[in-house]
Amino acid sequence: MQIKARDTEVVWALPPPELDHPLVKRVGGLRYAMPLAREGGALDIRPNQARLHSFADVLLSLGFSDVSLVEHRVSRWLKLFEAVRPHALLCDYAPAAQIAACLAELPAMQITNGFDAPPADFPLFESSIRGPYIERARAKSIEQFSETIQRIGHIHKMPGLDLGRFMSWPRRMLDIIPEVNPYGPIDAVGTYVGPFIGSDNVHLPQWPASGEASPKRVFAYLRGDERLVDVLLKALSSAGAAVCCVWPEASDGLLQNYKGTKVHLTRQPVDLSASLHGADAVVNYGSSSVLCSVLLAGKPQLMVPMDVEKLMFARRVESQGAGVVWQTNGQRLEGLVDRLLNDALLAQSARAVAERNSAATLKNARSTMIDALCRIPPAF
């Protein structure tokens, strides 16, 4: 909507199932099915049997070691660009489209939480495993992905296309704040604009009575294994907290079990801003947009990351002293819940992060980036 407000036409390229998404219809504009890796199918995902050490491994596991596969998709993106004749490309995670934009010298901007836009040296993921073998494996993956990029450049008569040019081609609009950059305290190639949080079709949070004189309120937004979520909710309840928990996958049985307790459990989305405003602390599953919103609200948080990406974000929050991580691998939950509810330093550190990232600063940064995108001269 902000792009349309700048008198700029929006043209969509989407996976076929998303072409009629309500949001797309509401924004309007021409809609095209995005180029697929194979006719009639999505990108061939061939999981790498080896451990994923860096984002280079993620790309290779998604087919970017296969030059013919990548070339097929890049060529189709180039044909779409010729048909649409765009001024610029705005994307989230679309490496094939970014290669095509680089070949066409089409200005590009990537909206990213940083995980899929690593520095060109592809830092190792969060892991306790380090050593020469891991470093050699990372270097080999980077070399393999770099070779794919160079070969695509030669096919399209652009010998100057290399890994460095590809990685630096799109401008980055980082929908996070600097403190949670998953690759650590680095100078990001881009602008931090904070999370994009929608508020359509949501309800106000409901806070149950806890029986305590002045109960701590905990807002929980969870995913994943029912047994672990149940353990977590019981630990919060036992600590005397009044909990409002959004868990979209909650079973009918669990919903029934928590009726009339100190935990209000719902599958329905609630207003995040109102929930954070009313909460003393937050529990979440490590989504970058949620944990950034929690930090911007100045609230301490306990994070239960579900994968390596979310673990990297959670560790960055923890490194700021503004939250704690529960990895469910034998780590005692009771002590973490006690820190969440009673450690004044966690709350103080979270407020300090919020003070460094004012809403006005993030709003201005976002507006500046969108202005730049809409004022780019035609590329064709």
Side-chain angles (χ1 to χ4, degrees):
M1 289 299 188
Q2 293 189 47
I3 292 175
K4 289 189 67 176
R6 289 162 171 78
D7 196 29
T8 300
E9 182 182 2
V10 176
V11 178
W12 300 89
L14 299 164
E18 302 296 327
L19 288 171
D20 292 321
H21 191 284
L23 173 63
V24 176
K25 287 186 173 182
R26 187 164 73 246
V27 173
L30 295 173
R31 289 170 281 170
Y32 292 86
M34 64 180 286
L36 301 174
R38 301 292 188 202
E39 294 291 343
L43 178 63
D44 292 342
I45 297 178
R46 297 171 294 175
N48 192 336
Q49 297 303 311
R51 185 183 180 91
L52 301 180
H53 300 298
S54 73
F55 198 75
D57 290 322
V58 174
L59 291 163
L60 295 178
S61 73
L62 295 176
F64 280 83
S65 60
D66 186 334
V67 175
S68 64
L69 183 71
V70 177
E71 160 59 15
H72 175 83
R73 202 172 194 195
V74 166
S75 293
R76 295 191 66 196
W77 273 108
L78 288 169
K79 289 180 181 178
L80 181 59
F81 292 161
E82 290 175 3
V84 175
R85 302 179 69 81
H87 286 60
L89 170 70
L90 176 65
C91 61
D92 50 11
Y93 173 62
Q98 290 180 16
I99 295 173
C102 195
L103 289 168
E105 298 188 329
L106 174 67
M109 184 177 292
Q110 180 186 8
I111 300 176
T112 173
N113 64 11
F115 179 74
D116 55 10
D121 61 348
F122 290 91
L124 288 170
F125 288 155
E126 172 73 30
S127 174
S128 60
I129 302 174
R130 290 290 190 272
Y133 170 79
I134 302 298
E135 290 293 346
R136 286 195 298 271
R138 177 175 69 108
K140 182 178 179 180
S141 295
I142 296 171
E143 182 181 359
Q144 191 173 3
F145 179 63
S146 177
E147 183 180 346
T148 296
I149 297 295
Q150 291 175 334
R151 290 179 64 183
I152 295 296
H154 282 287
I155 290 171
H156 288 271
K157 308 295 191 296
M158 185 184 276
L161 179 61
D162 57 16
L163 183 60
R165 182 175 173 83
F166 164 74
M167 295 293 291
S168 63
W169 184 255
R171 299 179 65 177
R172 267 53 182 267
M173 185 189 295
L174 291 145
D175 58 356
I176 54 172
I177 55 178
E179 287 81 356
V180 300
N181 189 305
Y183 297 103
I186 60 174
D187 293 328
V189 183
T191 301
Y192 292 99
V193 301
F196 294 85
I197 298 292
S199 58
D200 292 341
N201 302 316
V202 297
H203 306 275
L204 289 175
Q206 296 185 39
W207 301 100
S210 73
E212 303 288 330
S214 299
K216 293 289 183 71
R217 285 181 169 184
V218 176
F219 174 63
Y221 185 31
L222 299 171
R223 290 281 195 277
D225 182 88
E226 180 170 304
R227 182 184 59 84
L228 292 175
V229 172
D230 192 27
V231 168
L232 181 52
L233 294 179
K234 286 177 178 175
L236 291 168
S237 181
S238 296
V243 182
C244 173
C245 177
V246 176
W247 185 23
E249 300 92 352
S251 67
D252 291 341
L254 211 63
L255 288 172
Q256 186 62 38
N257 288 346
Y258 280 101
K259 277 191 175 181
T261 72
K262 291 183 286 188
V263 176
H264 174 73
L265 179 59
T266 178
R267 298 186 187 117
Q268 304 302 316
V270 301
D271 185 286
L272 183 60
S273 178
S275 301
L276 296 179
H277 178 75
D280 296 295
V282 178
V283 177
N284 65 80
Y285 64 97
S287 162
S288 62
S289 60
V290 174
L291 60 80
C292 278
S293 298
V294 176
L295 283 175
L296 292 172
K299 302 299 171 74
Q301 56 189 306
L302 188 158
M303 297 152 288
V304 191
M306 301 171 59
D307 53 47
V308 68
E309 176 181 347
K310 294 176 179 59
L311 177 60
M312 290 171 70
F313 287 109
R315 288 298 188 204
R316 291 289 295 132
V317 174
E318 191 173 55
S319 74
Q320 302 296 316
V324 291
V325 177
W326 183 43
Q327 286 194 255
T328 71
N329 56 356
Q331 190 177 17
R332 288 187 60 83
L333 178 59
E334 293 78 5
L336 295 178
V337 168
D338 181 67
R339 285 194 63 196
L340 176 73
L341 299 178
N342 301 307
D343 188 340
L345 288 178
L346 284 181
Q348 180 181 324
S349 297
R351 289 192 296 270
V353 174
E355 290 169 1
R356 292 196 296 269
N357 296 275
S358 71
T361 298
L362 295 174
K363 182 179 179 180
N364 288 339
R366 186 178 303 180
S367 180
T368 298
M369 290 294 281
I370 295 174
D371 283 344
L373 178 72
C374 295
R375 291 172 183 169
I376 290 172
F380 289 88

